[in-house]
Amino acid sequence: MKRLLKHMAVVLGIVTVSLMATYVGLAMYYHNAFTYGTWINGIYCTGRSIQEVNDELAKDFTYGGVTVEDKDGNSYVISAEEISYQFDFKKALEIYQSQQNPWMWIDSLMGGRKVELAPVVSYDRKAFETCFAALPFCQDKRADRERSVEIVCTPQGYELVNERTDVLFVEQARGAVLSAIEASKSEVSLSDEGCYHNLALTAQMQETLDIWEKLEYFQDCGIVYRMGEEEIPVDASVVCDWIALDDNGRFLFDESGGLQLKEHAIEDFVENLAAKYDTVGASRQFLSTRGDVVTVEGGLYGNKIDKEAETAYLTEAFYSKKREVHEPVYTQEAWKKGSEDIGSTYIEVDMGEQKMYYYVDGVLMIDTPIVTGNTSRRMGTPSGVNFVYAKQKNRILRGANYASHVDFWMPVKGNIGIHDAAWRGKFGGTIYQTNGSHGCINTPRAAMEQLFDMAEVGTPVVMFY
């Protein structure tokens, strides 16, 4: 028993000495290398020298420069090459290794040591200053006292120019960019770094801001006029001209302190709208079937805005700040709204060619010769854009010295209409010059019956020579 215990003591002593020797040996081994379980920037460094780790970290590290973003989202780059940027991990590695205790390597057996180290950076400071000074946001050299607050009139309406908000503090921006480079960051936002500040306002500047609040409210109009396929916004570019000004161009205010509406401003707007989009009697450019563009003036067809109703609507909508798309009220309506009101379904009466055509959705449906008013007796059919305002069958047409029966009658302007003419054996040519009608558009019966069945009341009738 004593021999067994002695033997076990010897074995234990040998093991202890071996372990101690191993421990001391590893401690000595790690004295000039990184200790067990060391990971730096994702690289396993156990037992490796500073130079070996530095070489591998440098191999995997790249830096192209810094992208600087200003408050408006514009980005500018200072490249690494421009400032002779250089880097080295050696100093950082030396510091980290000096903090390791090689005798405590056993602590890492239960878990590795993972760290992230930034390289030590060097660059040409003079080159950096040149690059930074060339950035667009550094070009504003004005002193704080030179920055104003004012209201300006533009084609888009009144706008506020406030040069005292979001003013860049250049020195702070320089520091933020430098810090980013020294930390090898690829981007820096001047807004996020707090490089913009608001300057104090004078009493006059504050008064200007108070007026601007009233201007913003006045110009906030969300009405959009729908004129056929066109939309006319009544926005700040329009209502800015509705503000009353004194002889010196200063804003006038009402008793409640709000901006004063110029007298007749809304009526004038509606008047101008009607002048542009009222088409009754207007001059139109029309592409004829014969191929040329003819000017057709006058006639009864078209749109006519109810100016009184629209003035009342717009006044109420403006003051109540309505936001809507609005189609105006008309005293007379064409088939289509807007300046191009004829559309693609119409009757074309070419009195120079003595031909009549009927189009439906742009497709030619009827092509017929006609006879129009007798020009030698000064009864020529008048040109203009009119419309079918009635349809009748078996009508007696009466005049000063005649009474004629027609099977189909479609009046288009007063007592002038389109009808069949059984008394005629021929149509077209130059008949109208000496033996024309009293002003109506005489049409072969077959074509007239077809037209009567197809054309609706309201169909535009384009009449020209």
Side-chain angles (χ1 to χ4, degrees):
M1 186 65 179
K2 289 182 179 181
R3 182 178 295 181
L4 178 61
L5 291 174
K6 184 177 180 180
H7 179 72
M8 291 178 62
V10 171
V11 172
L12 182 60
I14 293 171
V15 171
T16 301
V17 170
S18 298
L19 289 174
M20 290 180 63
T22 301
Y23 189 89
V24 171
L26 287 174
M28 296 302 294
Y29 173 72
Y30 293 138
H31 186 74
N32 293 313
F34 291 100
T35 61
Y36 179 82
T38 300
W39 290 80
I40 300 175
N41 295 6
I43 295 174
Y44 187 62
C45 304
T46 298
R48 303 174 72 176
S49 69
I50 288 175
Q51 187 60 51
E52 288 175 326
V53 176
N54 182 62
D55 291 344
E56 188 163 352
L57 289 175
K59 180 182 65 176
D60 295 336
F61 183 82
T62 58
Y63 184 67
V66 63
T67 299
V68 184
E69 183 179 82
D70 66 13
K71 65 180 177 64
D72 299 317
N74 301 311
S75 296
Y76 311 98
V77 176
I78 297 178
S79 70
E81 291 77 15
E82 288 177 302
I83 59 175
S84 301
Y85 172 93
Q86 294 182 343
F87 65 92
D88 193 347
F89 285 90
K90 190 172 183 180
K91 185 65 176 177
L93 290 170
E94 289 174 349
I95 294 173
Y96 180 67
Q97 190 188 60
S98 69
Q99 295 172 347
Q100 288 189 325
N101 186 347
W103 295 99
M104 300 301 295
W105 61 266
I106 197 169
D107 289 349
S108 299
L109 288 176
M110 301 305 294
R113 304 171 187 267
K114 296 182 179 181
V115 296
E116 294 291 328
L117 298 181
V120 175
V121 170
S122 64
Y123 55 91
D124 186 330
R125 183 61 179 259
K126 186 175 181 180
F128 166 78
E129 293 296 343
T130 300
C131 292
F132 182 81
L135 295 175
F137 52 73
C138 292
Q139 306 314 305
D140 189 348
K141 308 296 185 182
R142 291 175 298 169
D144 291 350
R145 64 178 180 279
E146 297 175 309
R147 297 180 183 276
S148 63
V149 177
E150 59 181 332
I151 295 169
V152 297
C153 187
T154 73
Q156 291 74 43
Y158 286 103
E159 295 180 359
L160 177 69
V161 178
N162 188 348
E163 299 173 337
R164 301 186 72 81
T165 60
D166 290 334
V167 178
L168 178 68
F169 281 22
V170 176
E171 287 304 316
Q172 191 172 348
R174 179 186 286 105
V177 177
L178 273 175
S179 295
I181 292 173
E182 291 171 357
S184 300
K185 292 182 178 179
S186 60
E187 57 185 32
V188 60
S189 167
L190 299 183
S191 295
D192 292 345
E193 295 296 326
C195 298
Y196 294 93
H197 302 270
N198 296 335
L199 302 179
L201 302 175
T202 66
Q204 184 176 0
M205 291 175 182
Q206 186 58 57
E207 182 180 350
T208 300
L209 289 179
D210 293 341
I211 294 175
W212 171 245
E213 284 188 18
K214 297 175 181 180
L215 270 171
E216 271 194 307
Y217 180 78
F218 189 98
Q219 291 186 144
D220 180 24
C221 185
I223 302 301
V224 177
Y225 267 91
R226 178 172 289 151
M227 310 301 296
E229 297 179 359
E230 296 181 69
E231 289 191 345
I232 312 298
V234 187
D235 55 16
S237 66
V238 174
V239 302
C240 69
D241 293 328
W242 297 0
I243 301 172
L245 306 174
D246 65 15
D247 293 338
N248 296 316
R250 292 175 299 203
F251 300 115
L252 293 177
F253 299 91
D254 56 27
E255 294 179 356
S256 63
L259 288 164
Q260 190 171 316
L261 182 69
K262 186 188 298 181
E263 189 176 7
H264 304 305
I266 294 179
E267 291 94 323
D268 291 344
F269 173 83
V270 173
E271 191 70 43
N272 291 332
L273 193 69
K276 182 176 181 180
Y277 291 99
D278 278 2
T279 55
V280 177
S283 176
R284 296 173 173 86
Q285 298 299 302
F286 178 78
L287 178 60
S288 68
T289 300
R290 68 193 184 203
D292 60 336
V293 176
V294 296
T295 300
V296 185
E297 298 182 349
L300 304 177
Y301 177 80
N303 296 298
K304 192 170 185 179
I305 293 174
D306 187 333
K307 291 184 284 189
E308 183 177 345
E310 283 311 304
T311 298
Y313 161 78
L314 188 53
T315 300
E316 191 275 331
F318 172 72
Y319 279 115
S320 61
K321 297 300 177 185
K322 286 186 178 178
R323 314 192 77 82
E324 61 187 15
V325 177
H326 171 72
E327 185 169 309
V329 177
Y330 294 91
T331 57
Q332 179 178 323
E333 294 186 63
W335 273 16
K336 286 192 65 179
K337 305 301 187 295
S339 53
E340 301 295 330
D341 61 348
I342 294 175
S344 57
T345 298
Y346 56 86
I347 299 168
E348 176 184 347
V349 181
D350 185 339
M351 294 176 287
E353 297 289 327
Q354 289 292 284
K355 295 291 291 291
M356 182 171 69
Y357 310 95
Y358 177 54
Y359 287 88
V360 176
D361 295 330
V363 178
L364 180 61
M365 305 300 291
I366 297 175
D367 177 347
T368 180
I370 54 173
V371 176
T372 58
N374 192 327
T375 54
S376 65
R377 297 181 61 186
R378 298 182 179 179
M379 294 181 180
T381 304
S383 59
V385 180
N386 298 294
F387 64 97
V388 176
Y389 63 85
K391 292 169 65 175
Q392 292 180 324
K393 291 183 179 181
N394 297 316
R395 172 72 185 269
I396 302 295
L397 305 181
R398 302 182 185 277
N401 53 5
Y402 70 90
S404 303
H405 174 271
V406 297
D407 291 334
F408 306 100
W409 167 245
M410 292 169 52
V412 298
K413 183 180 181 181
N415 59 358
I416 295 174
I418 307 170
H419 61 79
D420 54 297
W423 55 89
R424 290 192 183 278
K426 292 180 65 178
F427 294 84
T430 59
I431 297 172
Y432 76 103
Q433 295 177 356
T434 56
N435 190 29
S437 70
H438 291 85
C440 287
I441 300 150
N442 292 177
T443 307
R445 190 185 188 286
M448 187 63 217
E449 182 177 12
Q450 186 181 10
L451 180 65
F452 188 90
D453 289 341
M454 296 179 68
E456 300 178 23
V457 172
T459 302
V461 183
V462 186
M463 306 157 64
F464 58 90
Y465 286 90

